[in-house]
Amino acid sequence: MKTKLYKPSDSSIAYSVGTTLDRFIKIKQNEFSFASGELSQILRDIALAAKIVNRETNRAGLANIGGAFGQTNVQGEEQQKLDVIANIRFTRALTKGGEVCAVVSEEDDEVIDLQNGSGKYVVAIDPLDGSSNIDVNISIGTIFSIYRRVTPVGSPIQPEDIMQPGNQQVAAGYVLYGSSTMLVYTTGHGVNGFTYEPSLGEFFLSHPNMCAPKGGDIYSINEGTSNLFEPGLKKYIELCKERQFSARYIGSLVADFHRNLLKGGIYIYPATSKSPKGKLRLLYEANALAFIAEQAGGMATDGYGRILDIKPTSLHQRTPLYIGSPDMVVEAENFLKASLEKVAEK
Ligand code: AHG
Ligand code: MN
Ligand code: MN
């Protein structure tokens, strides 16, 4: 048979659409310490659910799926309809994919056993982050952490499979439903971002090897509760103002984190005298973003120590969060520690 060698075609006639998420995972398969097919399947499941949630989010105002669901979650927060929809979409996709045995979700009080006998992975997820922003058409997100279970595959899920510190994550990521929809993830070898192309229904690599600027001039914190901040934090915020940094706070952690990752900045959800553990949840908010931040050259602490080294003691436990450009996180932490030392001296 006569053949001819393939020559790349003229890109002025048919431009290259780039690298899809799926192809990228395959190219990078050697970087994942476990079977790459398993990880690809989980990421594919998450990407599929994200596409559906993206669709629901985009038509929320038309489809009567905005507004409250009429129930509160385990943390006493009012669930939005889209919180519930997103939770169903992600849990269903992970169940059908078959690689995940258990899911920890913000929207479920207990661990969900997916009854996937051969599932080797555990996923912790905030299906919809920033849900108070849904009805006002502002960016929202999804946050996920992936762990290997530690007890034998096929046996009942044990607490030690779930209560793993963030430093045991094998992959983590977020989806941002913003001016465009993006999926950003890490497997511990840098951070890569993919933008959704709705007409093709695919995520394409758009932000290879994302790196957090070392310093920055954006600070993101809800200052409405500043009279409840600890003294060191009050001083740090004063310093940000003296330096005329920009205050930027969307109220969707994913969106605030993503902006600061690209532009350089710090996101703080602090401990206050009213909420000594802050608001954000360790297992499905802080850990994933901490892993991504560190992989991008950034930093994440609770003000005093590394987020990824916290040993969880309960499913929905909260933690203060200082995350973003490393120089800024270190400086904020120094202010907190110096203030504490002063109190101790007295
Ligand atoms: P969720 O919608 O998943 O409950 O998360 C909301 C979180 C986070 O996204 C955001 O940064 C923070 O709550 C905002 O809280 P405040 O309104 O207290 O600033
Ligand atoms: Mn959240
Ligand atoms: Mn949420």
Side-chain angles (χ1 to χ4, degrees):
M1 197 201 324
K2 258 180 92 184
T3 59
K4 81 177 182 189
L5 286 181
Y6 170 74
K7 271 198 254 134
S9 48
D10 181 354
S11 61
S12 65
I13 294 174
Y15 71 92
S16 162
V17 291
T19 308
T20 63
L21 174 63
D22 225 39
R23 192 183 292 163
F24 185 85
I25 296 166
K26 279 194 195 111
I27 296 168
K28 296 280 176 184
Q29 61 188 341
N30 298 339
E31 289 183 352
F32 189 59
S33 358
F34 309 101
S36 64
E38 298 167 354
L39 178 73
S40 331
Q41 185 58 50
I42 299 172
L43 287 171
R44 212 180 289 132
D45 298 337
I46 289 173
L48 172 64
K51 288 176 198 176
I52 300 171
V53 171
N54 174 65
R55 187 190 65 190
E56 308 285 38
T57 303
N58 275 299
R59 63 189 191 107
L62 297 171
N64 194 27
I65 48 174
F69 179 60
Q71 284 181 22
T72 52
N73 64 17
V74 63
Q75 313 149 89
E77 295 158 350
E78 190 179 57
Q79 285 179 310
Q80 304 296 303
K81 285 184 199 160
L82 267 174
D83 281 325
V84 178
I85 291 171
N87 194 36
I88 293 171
R89 291 297 180 190
F90 282 101
T91 311
R92 190 181 288 163
L94 291 168
T95 307
K96 291 197 170 161
E99 305 293 352
V100 176
C101 55
V103 169
V104 177
S105 165
E106 180 187 11
E107 305 305 335
D108 290 301
D109 48 353
E110 285 169 324
V111 177
I112 307 296
D113 181 343
L114 301 188
Q115 300 182 38
N116 276 334
S118 57
K120 299 191 187 92
Y121 295 85
V122 170
V123 169
I125 191 160
D126 178 354
L128 211 65
D129 171 66
S131 50
S132 67
N133 279 328
I134 298 166
D135 289 349
V136 287
N137 217 342
I138 292 174
S139 301
I140 49 182
T142 295
I143 309 172
F144 60 92
S145 287
I146 305 174
Y147 295 86
R148 290 277 284 196
R149 64 175 297 176
V150 292
T151 58
V153 176
S155 63
I157 312 293
Q158 298 299 322
E160 56 266 41
D161 295 320
I162 307 295
M163 300 304 211
Q164 302 190 50
N167 56 32
Q168 294 301 306
Q169 289 170 100
V170 294
Y174 61 83
V175 184
L176 172 60
Y177 312 95
S179 46
S180 53
T181 293
M182 280 193 73
L183 190 151
V184 174
Y185 82 95
T186 182
T187 57
H189 299 270
V191 179
N192 292 285
F194 300 78
T195 300
Y196 184 54
E197 167 35 297
S199 67
L200 297 174
E202 289 274 13
F203 284 97
F204 287 94
L205 180 64
S206 54
H207 295 61
N209 194 21
M210 294 167 77
C211 292
K214 211 166 159 295
D217 57 8
I218 297 174
Y219 70 105
S220 308
I221 185 167
N222 182 347
E223 271 194 86
T225 56
S226 61
N227 53 2
L228 307 176
F229 292 172
E230 56 196 294
L233 177 57
K234 283 183 182 162
K235 284 191 189 139
Y236 178 69
I237 298 298
E238 276 316 307
L239 180 77
C240 291
K241 290 177 179 171
E242 273 162 34
R243 292 178 179 161
Q244 292 165 12
F245 284 178
S246 290
R248 292 283 182 272
Y249 191 74
I250 295 169
S252 290
L253 170 61
V254 170
D256 280 309
F257 173 79
H258 181 74
R259 180 204 49 242
N260 292 358
L261 179 64
L262 294 181
K263 295 195 164 185
I266 186 169
Y267 173 96
I268 303 174
Y269 205 108
T272 61
S273 48
K274 213 163 137 196
S275 310
K277 289 276 172 200
K279 175 184 184 188
L280 300 174
R281 278 59 53 112
L282 176 66
L283 260 64
Y284 42 81
E285 290 181 316
N287 271 341
L289 299 186
F291 189 21
I292 293 167
E294 288 195 6
Q295 283 298 315
M299 227 178 131
T301 76
D302 65 358
Y304 297 91
R306 191 179 177 224
I307 289 287
L308 294 181
D309 290 338
I310 300 174
K311 176 91 186 79
T313 50
S314 70
L315 217 52
H316 297 283
Q317 97 184 53
R318 298 175 192 270
T319 176
L321 181 64
Y322 290 68
I323 191 165
S325 294
D327 289 354
M328 298 181 86
V329 175
V330 168
E331 194 168 34
E333 200 173 77
N334 288 341
F335 270 85
L336 298 190
K337 287 178 182 164
S339 269
L340 265 198
E341 278 161 19
K342 265 198 192 145
V343 172
E345 278 164 19
K346 279 184 192 165

